[in-house]
Amino acid sequence: MLRQFQRLIPSLQRSTKFHLHLRRTFMSEPIAAAPAASNITHAEPSNDSAPVAAAVTAATTVAAPGPKRTKKVKKLTKKDIDEVLMHDIVDLRGHNQWDWDPKTPPPFQNFEELEVTIGSLAQSGEGLALLPDRGDGWVVVVPFVVPGERVKARVYRHNWGYSHADLVEVIQSAQNRLSGSDILCKYFGTCAGCQLQHISYPDQMKFKRQVVENAFKNYASKYFAILPPVDPVSESPIQSQYRTKITPHFEAQNPKHQSAGIVQPVNIGFLQAGKRRILDIEECPIATPSNIASYKKGATMLLRESNPIVPGTEDNNPPSTTKICVTDHKESITEWVGKFRFDYPAGSFFQNNNAILPSLIGYVKQQLHLPLTSSSSTSAPAPSEATSTSTTLNHEINYLVDAYCGSGLFGITCHEGFKKVLGVEISAASISCATNNLVLNKLSTETTAFHLDDADKIFAHIDFPSNETALIIDPPRKGCSGEFLDQMVAFLPARVVYVSCNVQTQARDLEGLLDRCRAKGLPGYKVEAIRGFDLFPQTRHVEGVMTLTRL
């Protein structure tokens, strides 16, 4: 399919109707050729982007490297440190003392090849190898490896106290390494999209549980000793073909070559691991098999699944739906979460793994209604359905506030059992979507409403009694602002369920919240439960859900 896409690019770059050309071209093809993102076909990748999969999937050597390259070593400063990665490096080294003089070059030549033993996995999913005899315990960061493996790595970038390296060869592989047909994608090891396909799914869950635990150990360290154990990560029902949205890229053509009539190959896909170049791919096995491509300023395409109702079945219970691909960022998407329908613009944010959403929302509902007056076990399995009837309603909590509400996912799916629900969002477009979704799901606008405002001013418009109010927080990756936490301490909701795509900022916000309560002489909050949800199998990412009860 993308071979045709390549041919279209030169003639369509000036067209404002580019996505319409793509739809007409691709939707007329049989499913084996398109429109599935996992069945895309176009030119084979060039030799310089040949995957390292041979090295990743077995103890074999990739193609011999070309002539040795040289590269000027820049002066390093502490600004070069990746803070999250540094915590993992400190754990591996056993101390945080650095005797290395930044004025001297790193202990390796650029592109030097080393044989190292992988000691642990960083929270990025990369392996860490400690070299105690080089640079006072220098660490080499190598992707696509398993702890305990002996590998050959080629250093390509230096930071303060550690270097990044490409995997060249697995010399001695770990017994639990996956290989061959167990690897989902032939580009794994070259594409930067996935980090963990060489690790079994149960081991991925163990790794992600450790990521969540380390986040709270490192970023809520003052309170880590009193936190409950991190619960096992809730698994995704499917581990491939789960992403309902992907955004492949292609690089702009060289205008000088274009004006000279020189034919330029167009790579369409994702970034190469460790490089700033696009890897040419024909399929992505973690994407749902019904996506097609769109064009955006010569750089990024949108491929998003939509499930609209089949005309004439609107009054059925449930109505019949069909699966289509949407390529225009402004076009409306229809997505179903259990019995609830959500419409939103294709270019806006919505969780990308629909298969796990019923489980995630069922768990959030369960946590919202935990008793306030007694400590209850929170290690039970997450409910499998968002509409689970097993959730016991807590009549002590009568009001729900959904901060960062977006198009209304949590406010609408969790409305049952509350007298009133209020969602707050800074985006007018999101509020419009949320209000429309309220109508689509036939919910009363008297009891559920969405309000346009900055999340930092959320509590200024809430007249709910705080001791009867639960708060859902689902902020962007940067987490909550200090102003938001200040208002939260001033309001003190009885229950808080914090959903986060970045467990490091989630843990940081917990420490910030408890610090503010302590500074004001308030009892603060008890952390009832911390659990990860695997919204992105085969990758390093993990969603965190934390439950707090006011003391």
Side-chain angles (χ1 to χ4, degrees), residues 60-107:
T60 56
T61 308
V62 295
K68 286 187 175 293
R69 296 170 290 172
T70 60
K71 181 179 178 182
K72 184 178 179 181
V73 178
K74 71 172 184 176
K75 182 180 178 181
L76 303 178
T77 70
K78 289 185 178 180
K79 293 181 180 179
D80 294 306
I81 293 176
D82 179 325
E83 182 181 348
V84 177
L85 179 59
M86 187 55 65
H87 283 295
D88 297 318
I89 290 175
V90 168
D91 286 344
L92 181 66
R93 299 178 84 237
H95 61 85
N96 193 23
Q97 302 301 317
W98 298 93
D99 297 329
W100 177 66
D101 184 355
K103 296 180 181 179
T104 62

Side-chain angles (χ1 to χ4, degrees), residues 244-530:
T244 55
K245 174 190 175 185
I246 59 173
T247 53
H249 313 285
F250 63 90
E251 298 167 338
Q253 295 190 344
N254 186 316
K256 293 182 180 180
H257 291 175
Q258 196 169 8
S259 61
I262 300 175
V263 177
Q264 303 174 66
V266 179
N267 292 337
I268 304 171
F270 304 100
L271 285 175
Q272 295 184 38
K275 299 179 182 179
R276 296 181 180 179
R277 291 187 292 182
I278 300 299
L279 174 66
D280 196 35
I281 66 170
E282 70 270 14
E283 66 176 1
C284 177
I286 67 171
T288 55
S290 59
N291 284 321
I292 58 175
S294 175
Y295 168 77
K296 182 181 179 183
K297 298 181 180 179
T300 302
M301 301 171 284
L302 172 68
L303 300 86
R304 192 153 208 168
E305 179 181 300
S306 182
N307 297 272
I309 294 176
V310 175
T313 70
E314 293 85 354
D315 295 331
N316 295 359
N317 188 19
S320 299
T321 62
T322 186
K323 184 178 293 187
I324 65 171
C325 296
V326 172
T327 66
D328 184 354
H329 286 68
K330 296 180 180 180
E331 191 169 337
S332 182
I333 294 291
T334 296
E335 186 154 348
W336 297 82
V337 181
K339 66 181 180 181
F340 297 101
R341 172 182 172 179
F342 293 91
D343 286 9
Y344 56 89
S348 64
F349 172 79
F350 201 87
Q351 297 289 2
N352 287 339
N353 185 346
N354 182 274
I356 199 175
L357 286 184
S359 174
L360 172 63
I361 292 167
Y363 179 79
V364 170
K365 289 174 64 177
Q366 180 192 69
Q367 298 301 293
L368 287 171
H369 291 287
L370 288 176
L372 293 174
T373 54
S374 63
S375 298
S376 50
S377 173
T378 56
S379 59
S384 59
E385 296 293 337
T387 56
S388 172
T389 57
S390 62
T391 299
T392 301
L393 300 182
N394 182 354
H395 298 291
E396 299 172 289
I397 299 181
N398 296 307
Y399 304 93
L400 175 63
V401 176
D402 180 10
Y404 310 94
C405 68
S407 54
L409 175 64
F410 288 108
I412 289 174
T413 58
C414 298
H415 76 280
E416 295 167 318
F418 295 101
K419 291 181 179 178
K420 287 190 176 181
V421 177
L422 176 64
V424 180
E425 173 62 56
I426 191 173
S427 166
S430 294
I431 289 297
S432 177
C433 286
T435 303
N436 180 59
N437 289 330
L438 204 62
V439 175
L440 290 175
N441 289 285
K442 301 179 181 180
L443 302 185
S444 171
T445 55
E446 296 295 323
T447 58
T448 305
F450 295 97
H451 181 72
L452 177 65
D453 207 341
D454 192 324
D456 294 342
K457 301 176 182 177
I458 177 175
F459 299 103
H461 302 93
I462 295 176
D463 57 2
F464 301 161
S466 63
N467 64 333
E468 298 180 38
T469 300
L471 172 68
I472 297 177
I473 310 173
D474 185 15
R477 290 190 63 81
K478 66 180 180 179
C480 300
S481 67
E483 292 79 7
F484 179 89
L485 295 178
D486 288 338
Q487 291 184 79
M488 186 174 165
V489 170
F491 183 75
L492 286 177
R495 167 68 40 73
V496 180
V497 178
Y498 188 151
V499 182
S500 175
C501 60
N502 186 337
V503 289
Q504 284 80 28
T505 56
Q506 183 184 45
R508 177 208 66 193
D509 290 345
L510 171 65
E511 184 165 289
L513 173 64
L514 298 183
D515 282 348
R516 285 167 169 79
C517 289
R518 178 180 290 182
K520 291 182 175 292
L522 300 171
Y525 285 86
K526 174 187 177 183
V527 179
E528 300 279 5
I530 302 170

